[in-house]
Amino acid sequence: MEKIKIKGIILVLLLVLGILGLNTKYQKYRNEKNNEKLLKENKKELEAKIENVISEREERRKEIQSDYEQIQIITGKLGLLSMKNESEFKKMIYVFTRESGLKMNEISKSEKLWERNGYKLKYIHFTLYGSLNNFGKFLYFLNKSRKFIDTSRMYIDLTGEGFKISLGFIEKGKIGVKN
């Protein structure tokens, strides 16, 4: 009888240990399933974040490309409107003076106001002689010029002997590339 009790106790103990072992394995299985589920959710979130980053980068690249194209257009226009050198500007003003019936007496040295990206804004002072009507023609020619003539800092000094006028132009220089 004692052998049967001992066998029964051992059998119950084995059964309890088996159930505990199965329970432990089941818990590990459930943990692995939960971890797998979390990893799948995290993967979806990360893929969505990656897609957002890619789309933001593409959008930014398009903005930069658009800005670059606009800068190229502006630089092209500036190149068309600017002068190659100071003597070209002086020749143009001299032609305007002759066409309007004025006479040029004096040309000052140029004054550089600013320099950016290979372009320089310079001003030159001219002393002209002639009638007020001819001076009006001269101003008309300046206004209709195909090249850019800056008048933002222009001054006109009208005297009994003539006219003093300061005009600006943009000189195209060498564009240096910075490394």
Side-chain angles (χ1 to χ4, degrees):
M1 251 267 247
E2 271 186 46
K3 276 187 166 181
I4 295 179
K5 281 186 178 183
I6 291 178
K7 283 184 181 180
I9 292 174
I10 291 176
L11 191 58
V12 169
L13 268 173
L14 286 175
L15 187 61
V16 169
L17 288 175
I19 291 173
L20 287 177
L22 283 176
N23 189 29
T24 307
K25 286 184 180 181
Y26 180 70
Q27 286 297 329
K28 285 182 184 178
Y29 173 77
R30 285 189 63 191
N31 286 339
E32 286 179 14
K33 281 295 186 180
N34 286 337
N35 287 341
E36 184 180 332
K37 183 179 177 183
L38 287 174
L39 287 174
K40 285 181 181 179
E41 289 175 5
N42 288 341
K43 180 182 176 186
K44 288 178 184 177
E45 289 175 12
L46 288 175
E47 286 174 349
K49 285 181 183 179
I50 289 171
E51 288 296 320
N52 284 341
V53 168
I54 290 172
S55 65
E56 286 174 5
R57 280 189 177 176
E58 185 64 26
E59 191 175 303
R60 181 70 179 139
R61 188 191 66 78
K62 286 179 183 178
E63 287 176 12
I64 290 171
Q65 183 68 26
S66 173
D67 291 347
Y68 176 75
E69 289 170 359
Q70 289 176 353
I71 289 170
Q72 289 297 96
I73 290 169
I74 291 170
T75 304
K77 287 179 182 178
L78 188 59
L80 291 174
L81 297 174
S82 63
M83 305 286 176
K84 292 178 186 171
N85 54 36
E86 188 174 316
S87 63
E88 182 183 345
F89 179 68
K90 288 178 181 178
K91 286 177 190 175
M92 184 178 72
I93 298 300
Y94 181 75
V95 169
F96 290 165
T97 303
R98 298 287 292 179
E99 290 292 319
S100 62
L102 295 172
K103 292 183 180 161
M104 190 174 298
N105 185 33
E106 186 181 335
I107 301 174
S108 72
K109 290 185 177 182
S110 64
E111 299 175 25
K112 182 172 65 171
L113 294 181
W114 57 254
E115 181 175 357
R116 292 185 188 112
N117 298 327
Y119 291 94
K120 300 172 190 170
L121 176 63
K122 293 182 174 182
Y123 264 78
I124 300 178
H125 308 286
F126 299 95
T127 304
L128 310 172
Y129 291 100
S131 71
L132 192 55
N133 191 29
N134 290 344
F135 187 69
K137 287 180 191 176
F138 175 76
L139 292 177
Y140 173 78
F141 289 137
L142 288 178
N143 187 39
K144 294 299 178 182
S145 170
R146 290 186 179 169
K147 295 290 185 178
F148 175 73
I149 298 175
D150 186 46
T151 57
S152 62
R153 297 187 183 189
M154 176 180 83
Y155 79 86
I156 300 173
D157 186 15
L158 302 174
T159 64
E161 300 171 359
F163 312 100
K164 289 183 180 179
I165 185 169
S166 66
L167 299 170
F169 68 100
I170 296 177
E171 183 178 55
K172 193 183 328 183
K174 294 179 182 177
I175 299 174
V177 179
K178 296 179 182 177
N179 292 331

